[in-house]
Amino acid sequence: GCDVEEGMVNKAKENCSEFTNIEIYHQSAFELDLDNSNMVLSYYTMQFIHPSVRQDLFNKIYFSQKRFVLLGNKNHKFATIQTNFTCPS
């Protein structure tokens, strides 16, 4: 996981400390390497991304060859995107 707020990163690390397969990073989602992930989960996030670059982040997630993406907002409404395609190299 990642967050740009250091306090949220510290809390997430504390909450996940017993799990060895979870990594939490203090960085922007734009900098996150999605190559080793199996799923992308974005909850209460996209509305805080400036509209001028929001589509860039959607594209980064969509073209990362992930098979499952879950997006949620503050109203607890979710959209799932299942991708079963191979991106051209």
Side-chain angles (χ1 to χ4, degrees):
C2 73
D3 201 298
V4 295
E5 297 295 331
E6 189 171 7
M8 293 298 289
V9 170
N10 292 338
K11 187 66 173 173
K13 285 182 177 182
E14 179 184 315
N15 289 340
C16 297
S17 62
E18 65 187 78
F19 302 101
T20 59
N21 61 339
I22 296 177
E23 298 176 8
I24 311 293
Y25 301 99
H26 181 215
Q27 67 185 53
S28 164
F30 287 100
E31 300 167 351
L32 190 63
D33 181 8
L34 299 175
D35 291 340
N36 293 322
S37 60
N38 296 316
M39 181 177 77
V40 175
L41 170 65
S42 171
Y43 182 72
Y44 198 51
T45 302
M46 290 302 195
Q47 64 268 33
F48 297 111
I49 305 297
H50 194 276
S52 66
V53 294
R54 189 177 299 150
Q55 187 62 52
D56 294 336
L57 185 54
F58 277 118
N59 290 348
K60 175 185 173 86
I61 294 167
Y62 186 80
F63 291 112
S64 68
Q65 299 186 16
K66 300 305 131 204
R67 297 293 182 241
F68 185 80
V69 178
L70 179 64
L71 304 171
N73 65 20
K74 65 181 179 178
N75 297 321
H76 306 288
K77 294 181 181 177
F78 292 92
T80 60
I81 302 168
Q82 295 183 9
T83 59
N84 294 312
F85 62 93
T86 302
C87 295
S89 300

